[in-house]
PDB file of all heavy atoms in Angstrom:
ATOM      1  N   VAL A   1       0.875  -1.162  -0.057  1.00  0.00           N
ATOM      2  CA  VAL A   1       0.022   0.030   0.022  1.00  0.00           C
ATOM      3  C   VAL A   1       0.867   1.284  -0.027  1.00  0.00           C
ATOM      4  O   VAL A   1       0.620   2.169  -0.741  1.00  0.00           O
ATOM      5  CB  VAL A   1      -0.956   0.041   1.187  1.00  0.00           C
ATOM      6  CG1 VAL A   1      -1.703   1.326   1.333  1.00  0.00           C
ATOM      7  CG2 VAL A   1      -1.940  -1.124   1.154  1.00  0.00           C
ATOM      8  N   PHE A   2       1.889   1.202   0.804  1.00  0.00           N
ATOM      9  CA  PHE A   2       2.789   2.379   0.924  1.00  0.00           C
ATOM     10  C   PHE A   2       3.539   2.586  -0.493  1.00  0.00           C
ATOM     11  O   PHE A   2       3.736   3.712  -0.861  1.00  0.00           O
ATOM     12  CB  PHE A   2       3.800   2.187   2.026  1.00  0.00           C
ATOM     13  CG  PHE A   2       4.850   3.269   2.068  1.00  0.00           C
ATOM     14  CD1 PHE A   2       4.460   4.448   2.707  1.00  0.00           C
ATOM     15  CD2 PHE A   2       6.112   3.132   1.602  1.00  0.00           C
ATOM     16  CE1 PHE A   2       5.477   5.459   2.849  1.00  0.00           C
ATOM     17  CE2 PHE A   2       7.126   4.130   1.775  1.00  0.00           C
ATOM     18  CZ  PHE A   2       6.705   5.314   2.338  1.00  0.00           C
ATOM     19  N   GLY A   3       3.984   1.489  -1.095  1.00  0.00           N
ATOM     20  CA  GLY A   3       4.701   1.562  -2.347  1.00  0.00           C
ATOM     21  C   GLY A   3       3.790   2.195  -3.405  1.00  0.00           C
ATOM     22  O   GLY A   3       4.240   3.124  -4.155  1.00  0.00           O
ATOM     23  N   LYS A   4       2.527   1.865  -3.451  1.00  0.00           N
ATOM     24  CA  LYS A   4       1.589   2.531  -4.379  1.00  0.00           C
ATOM     25  C   LYS A   4       1.441   4.033  -4.080  1.00  0.00           C
ATOM     26  O   LYS A   4       1.335   4.832  -5.040  1.00  0.00           O
ATOM     27  CB  LYS A   4       0.268   1.796  -4.390  1.00  0.00           C
ATOM     28  CG  LYS A   4       0.324   0.415  -4.950  1.00  0.00           C
ATOM     29  CD  LYS A   4      -1.098  -0.255  -4.909  1.00  0.00           C
ATOM     30  CE  LYS A   4      -1.026  -1.687  -5.439  1.00  0.00           C
ATOM     31  NZ  LYS A   4      -2.355  -2.406  -5.274  1.00  0.00           N
ATOM     32  N   PHE A   5       1.396   4.296  -2.750  1.00  0.00           N
ATOM     33  CA  PHE A   5       1.256   5.680  -2.308  1.00  0.00           C
ATOM     34  C   PHE A   5       2.363   6.538  -2.862  1.00  0.00           C
ATOM     35  O   PHE A   5       2.253   7.630  -3.339  1.00  0.00           O
ATOM     36  CB  PHE A   5       1.126   5.784  -0.874  1.00  0.00           C
ATOM     37  CG  PHE A   5       0.828   7.086  -0.282  1.00  0.00           C
ATOM     38  CD1 PHE A   5      -0.533   7.404   0.143  1.00  0.00           C
ATOM     39  CD2 PHE A   5       1.748   8.127  -0.085  1.00  0.00           C
ATOM     40  CE1 PHE A   5      -0.792   8.637   0.660  1.00  0.00           C
ATOM     41  CE2 PHE A   5       1.511   9.280   0.443  1.00  0.00           C
ATOM     42  CZ  PHE A   5       0.162   9.567   0.763  1.00  0.00           C
ATOM     43  N   VAL A   6       3.659   6.053  -2.609  1.00  0.00           N
ATOM     44  CA  VAL A   6       4.843   6.749  -3.022  1.00  0.00           C
ATOM     45  C   VAL A   6       4.885   6.973  -4.497  1.00  0.00           C
ATOM     46  O   VAL A   6       5.266   8.034  -5.020  1.00  0.00           O
ATOM     47  CB  VAL A   6       6.173   6.027  -2.473  1.00  0.00           C
ATOM     48  CG1 VAL A   6       7.385   6.709  -3.022  1.00  0.00           C
ATOM     49  CG2 VAL A   6       6.148   6.021  -0.975  1.00  0.00           C
ATOM     50  N   THR A   7       4.563   5.866  -5.263  1.00  0.00           N
ATOM     51  CA  THR A   7       4.623   6.023  -6.704  1.00  0.00           C
ATOM     52  C   THR A   7       3.625   7.027  -7.162  1.00  0.00           C
ATOM     53  O   THR A   7       3.942   7.853  -8.083  1.00  0.00           O
ATOM     54  CB  THR A   7       4.259   4.643  -7.330  1.00  0.00           C
ATOM     55  OG1 THR A   7       5.253   3.703  -6.879  1.00  0.00           O
ATOM     56  CG2 THR A   7       4.222   4.641  -8.847  1.00  0.00           C
ATOM     57  N   ALA A   8       2.372   7.062  -6.648  1.00  0.00           N
ATOM     58  CA  ALA A   8       1.392   8.057  -7.034  1.00  0.00           C
ATOM     59  C   ALA A   8       1.889   9.434  -6.749  1.00  0.00           C
ATOM     60  O   ALA A   8       1.698  10.383  -7.491  1.00  0.00           O
ATOM     61  CB  ALA A   8       0.123   7.774  -6.274  1.00  0.00           C
ATOM     62  N   MET A   9       2.486   9.598  -5.559  1.00  0.00           N
ATOM     63  CA  MET A   9       2.991  10.933  -5.133  1.00  0.00           C
ATOM     64  C   MET A   9       4.127  11.381  -6.040  1.00  0.00           C
ATOM     65  O   MET A   9       4.165  12.599  -6.423  1.00  0.00           O
ATOM     66  CB  MET A   9       3.620  10.802  -3.692  1.00  0.00           C
ATOM     67  CG  MET A   9       3.523  12.008  -2.859  1.00  0.00           C
ATOM     68  SD  MET A   9       3.805  11.668  -1.160  1.00  0.00           S
ATOM     69  CE  MET A   9       4.745  13.081  -0.725  1.00  0.00           C
ATOM     70  N   TYR A  10       5.013  10.454  -6.490  1.00  0.00           N
ATOM     71  CA  TYR A  10       6.095  10.832  -7.401  1.00  0.00           C
ATOM     72  C   TYR A  10       5.516  11.254  -8.783  1.00  0.00           C
ATOM     73  O   TYR A  10       5.970  12.269  -9.337  1.00  0.00           O
ATOM     74  CB  TYR A  10       7.053   9.653  -7.491  1.00  0.00           C
ATOM     75  CG  TYR A  10       8.195   9.951  -8.498  1.00  0.00           C
ATOM     76  CD1 TYR A  10       9.396  10.619  -8.152  1.00  0.00           C
ATOM     77  CD2 TYR A  10       8.037   9.616  -9.855  1.00  0.00           C
ATOM     78  CE1 TYR A  10      10.365  10.921  -9.054  1.00  0.00           C
ATOM     79  CE2 TYR A  10       9.216   9.802 -10.765  1.00  0.00           C
ATOM     80  CZ  TYR A  10      10.213  10.473 -10.320  1.00  0.00           C
ATOM     81  OH  TYR A  10      11.302  10.750 -11.190  1.00  0.00           O
ATOM     82  N   THR A  11       4.479  10.525  -9.268  1.00  0.00           N
ATOM     83  CA  THR A  11       3.898  10.868 -10.530  1.00  0.00           C
ATOM     84  C   THR A  11       3.291  12.247 -10.393  1.00  0.00           C
ATOM     85  O   THR A  11       3.476  13.023 -11.428  1.00  0.00           O
ATOM     86  CB  THR A  11       2.879   9.749 -10.810  1.00  0.00           C
ATOM     87  OG1 THR A  11       3.416   8.467 -10.880  1.00  0.00           O
ATOM     88  CG2 THR A  11       2.237  10.061 -12.207  1.00  0.00           C
ATOM     89  N   ALA A  12       2.609  12.545  -9.331  1.00  0.00           N
ATOM     90  CA  ALA A  12       1.987  13.859  -9.199  1.00  0.00           C
ATOM     91  C   ALA A  12       3.051  14.881  -9.177  1.00  0.00           C
ATOM     92  O   ALA A  12       2.942  15.979  -9.822  1.00  0.00           O
ATOM     93  CB  ALA A  12       1.185  13.875  -7.923  1.00  0.00           C
ATOM     94  N   PHE A  13       4.120  14.710  -8.396  1.00  0.00           N
ATOM     95  CA  PHE A  13       5.250  15.660  -8.280  1.00  0.00           C
ATOM     96  C   PHE A  13       5.869  16.088  -9.612  1.00  0.00           C
ATOM     97  O   PHE A  13       6.032  17.223  -9.870  1.00  0.00           O
ATOM     98  CB  PHE A  13       6.245  15.049  -7.388  1.00  0.00           C
ATOM     99  CG  PHE A  13       7.425  16.036  -7.027  1.00  0.00           C
ATOM    100  CD1 PHE A  13       7.380  16.817  -5.842  1.00  0.00           C
ATOM    101  CD2 PHE A  13       8.519  16.217  -7.865  1.00  0.00           C
ATOM    102  CE1 PHE A  13       8.372  17.654  -5.549  1.00  0.00           C
ATOM    103  CE2 PHE A  13       9.560  17.023  -7.566  1.00  0.00           C
ATOM    104  CZ  PHE A  13       9.462  17.788  -6.413  1.00  0.00           C
ATOM    105  N   THR A  14       6.117  15.092 -10.438  1.00  0.00           N
ATOM    106  CA  THR A  14       6.778  15.358 -11.699  1.00  0.00           C
ATOM    107  C   THR A  14       5.800  15.879 -12.736  1.00  0.00           C
ATOM    108  O   THR A  14       6.201  16.885 -13.496  1.00  0.00           O
ATOM    109  CB  THR A  14       7.445  14.097 -12.278  1.00  0.00           C
ATOM    110  OG1 THR A  14       6.535  13.011 -12.292  1.00  0.00           O
ATOM    111  CG2 THR A  14       8.575  13.702 -11.384  1.00  0.00           C
ATOM    112  N   ALA A  15       4.526  15.396 -12.747  1.00  0.00           N
ATOM    113  CA  ALA A  15       3.570  15.913 -13.659  1.00  0.00           C
ATOM    114  C   ALA A  15       3.150  17.334 -13.508  1.00  0.00           C
ATOM    115  O   ALA A  15       2.842  18.062 -14.495  1.00  0.00           O
ATOM    116  CB  ALA A  15       2.358  14.971 -13.653  1.00  0.00           C
ATOM    117  N   LEU A  16       3.113  17.725 -12.229  1.00  0.00           N
ATOM    118  CA  LEU A  16       2.716  19.035 -11.887  1.00  0.00           C
ATOM    119  C   LEU A  16       3.790  20.076 -11.639  1.00  0.00           C
ATOM    120  O   LEU A  16       3.504  21.191 -11.347  1.00  0.00           O
ATOM    121  CB  LEU A  16       1.797  19.016 -10.555  1.00  0.00           C
ATOM    122  CG  LEU A  16       0.493  18.119 -10.695  1.00  0.00           C
ATOM    123  CD1 LEU A  16      -0.101  18.034  -9.273  1.00  0.00           C
ATOM    124  CD2 LEU A  16      -0.492  18.700 -11.626  1.00  0.00           C
ATOM    125  N   ASP A  17       5.012  19.705 -11.930  1.00  0.00           N
ATOM    126  CA  ASP A  17       6.103  20.502 -11.737  1.00  0.00           C
ATOM    127  C   ASP A  17       6.162  21.122 -10.355  1.00  0.00           C
ATOM    128  O   ASP A  17       6.286  22.386 -10.150  1.00  0.00           O
ATOM    129  CB  ASP A  17       6.169  21.667 -12.826  1.00  0.00           C
ATOM    130  CG  ASP A  17       6.480  21.217 -14.131  1.00  0.00           C
ATOM    131  OD1 ASP A  17       7.512  20.478 -14.318  1.00  0.00           O
ATOM    132  OD2 ASP A  17       5.686  21.501 -15.081  1.00  0.00           O
ATOM    133  N   CYS A  18       6.114  20.265  -9.340  1.00  0.00           N
ATOM    134  CA  CYS A  18       6.127  20.711  -7.946  1.00  0.00           C
ATOM    135  C   CYS A  18       7.487  21.101  -7.520  1.00  0.00           C
ATOM    136  O   CYS A  18       8.502  20.524  -8.020  1.00  0.00           O
ATOM    137  CB  CYS A  18       5.537  19.602  -7.029  1.00  0.00           C
ATOM    138  SG  CYS A  18       3.825  19.228  -7.347  1.00  0.00           S
ATOM    139  N   ALA A  19       7.584  21.955  -6.483  1.00  0.00           N
ATOM    140  CA  ALA A  19       8.825  22.276  -5.856  1.00  0.00           C
ATOM    141  C   ALA A  19       8.956  21.432  -4.546  1.00  0.00           C
ATOM    142  O   ALA A  19      10.036  21.033  -4.230  1.00  0.00           O
ATOM    143  CB  ALA A  19       8.868  23.742  -5.494  1.00  0.00           C
ATOM    144  N   ILE A  20       7.848  21.187  -3.930  1.00  0.00           N
ATOM    145  CA  ILE A  20       7.823  20.346  -2.781  1.00  0.00           C
ATOM    146  C   ILE A  20       6.380  19.808  -2.587  1.00  0.00           C
ATOM    147  O   ILE A  20       5.385  20.389  -2.890  1.00  0.00           O
ATOM    148  CB  ILE A  20       8.295  21.054  -1.418  1.00  0.00           C
ATOM    149  CG1 ILE A  20       8.300  20.074  -0.275  1.00  0.00           C
ATOM    150  CG2 ILE A  20       7.325  22.189  -1.168  1.00  0.00           C
ATOM    151  CD1 ILE A  20       8.989  20.658   0.981  1.00  0.00           C
ATOM    152  N   VAL A  21       6.367  18.508  -2.229  1.00  0.00           N
ATOM    153  CA  VAL A  21       5.049  17.888  -1.725  1.00  0.00           C
ATOM    154  C   VAL A  21       5.385  17.302  -0.292  1.00  0.00           C
ATOM    155  O   VAL A  21       6.291  16.411  -0.250  1.00  0.00           O
ATOM    156  CB  VAL A  21       4.553  16.840  -2.705  1.00  0.00           C
ATOM    157  CG1 VAL A  21       3.304  16.138  -2.098  1.00  0.00           C
ATOM    158  CG2 VAL A  21       4.190  17.521  -4.010  1.00  0.00           C
ATOM    159  N   GLU A  22       4.742  17.762   0.679  1.00  0.00           N
ATOM    160  CA  GLU A  22       5.070  17.316   2.057  1.00  0.00           C
ATOM    161  C   GLU A  22       3.741  16.707   2.667  1.00  0.00           C
ATOM    162  O   GLU A  22       2.739  17.465   2.663  1.00  0.00           O
ATOM    163  CB  GLU A  22       5.604  18.418   2.892  1.00  0.00           C
ATOM    164  CG  GLU A  22       6.030  18.022   4.295  1.00  0.00           C
ATOM    165  CD  GLU A  22       6.567  19.097   5.106  1.00  0.00           C
ATOM    166  OE1 GLU A  22       5.814  20.111   5.248  1.00  0.00           O
ATOM    167  OE2 GLU A  22       7.761  19.148   5.525  1.00  0.00           O
ATOM    168  N   ILE A  23       3.812  15.546   3.177  1.00  0.00           N
ATOM    169  CA  ILE A  23       2.668  14.881   3.843  1.00  0.00           C
ATOM    170  C   ILE A  23       3.121  14.717   5.287  1.00  0.00           C
ATOM    171  O   ILE A  23       3.962  13.867   5.619  1.00  0.00           O
ATOM    172  CB  ILE A  23       2.318  13.460   3.233  1.00  0.00           C
ATOM    173  CG1 ILE A  23       2.142  13.630   1.711  1.00  0.00           C
ATOM    174  CG2 ILE A  23       1.148  12.948   3.861  1.00  0.00           C
ATOM    175  CD1 ILE A  23       1.028  14.520   1.323  1.00  0.00           C
ATOM    176  N   ASN A  24       2.594  15.458   6.150  1.00  0.00           N
ATOM    177  CA  ASN A  24       2.984  15.399   7.534  1.00  0.00           C
ATOM    178  C   ASN A  24       1.738  15.839   8.417  1.00  0.00           C
ATOM    179  O   ASN A  24       1.384  17.032   8.568  1.00  0.00           O
ATOM    180  CB  ASN A  24       4.117  16.386   7.863  1.00  0.00           C
ATOM    181  CG  ASN A  24       4.709  16.317   9.278  1.00  0.00           C
ATOM    182  OD1 ASN A  24       4.537  15.158   9.833  1.00  0.00           O
ATOM    183  ND2 ASN A  24       5.291  17.241   9.734  1.00  0.00           N
ATOM    184  N   PRO A  25       1.081  14.817   9.035  1.00  0.00           N
ATOM    185  CA  PRO A  25       1.532  13.419   8.983  1.00  0.00           C
ATOM    186  C   PRO A  25       0.984  12.584   7.922  1.00  0.00           C
ATOM    187  O   PRO A  25      -0.124  12.843   7.415  1.00  0.00           O
ATOM    188  CB  PRO A  25       1.006  12.959  10.333  1.00  0.00           C
ATOM    189  CG  PRO A  25      -0.267  13.661  10.551  1.00  0.00           C
ATOM    190  CD  PRO A  25      -0.012  15.052  10.037  1.00  0.00           C
TER     191      PRO A  25
END
């Protein structure tokens, strides 16, 4: 589940030209 979460987050980060995406908590 965590692996899919990280992959989705990376895809969003690169597709949206993000500077930072922080999930806390």
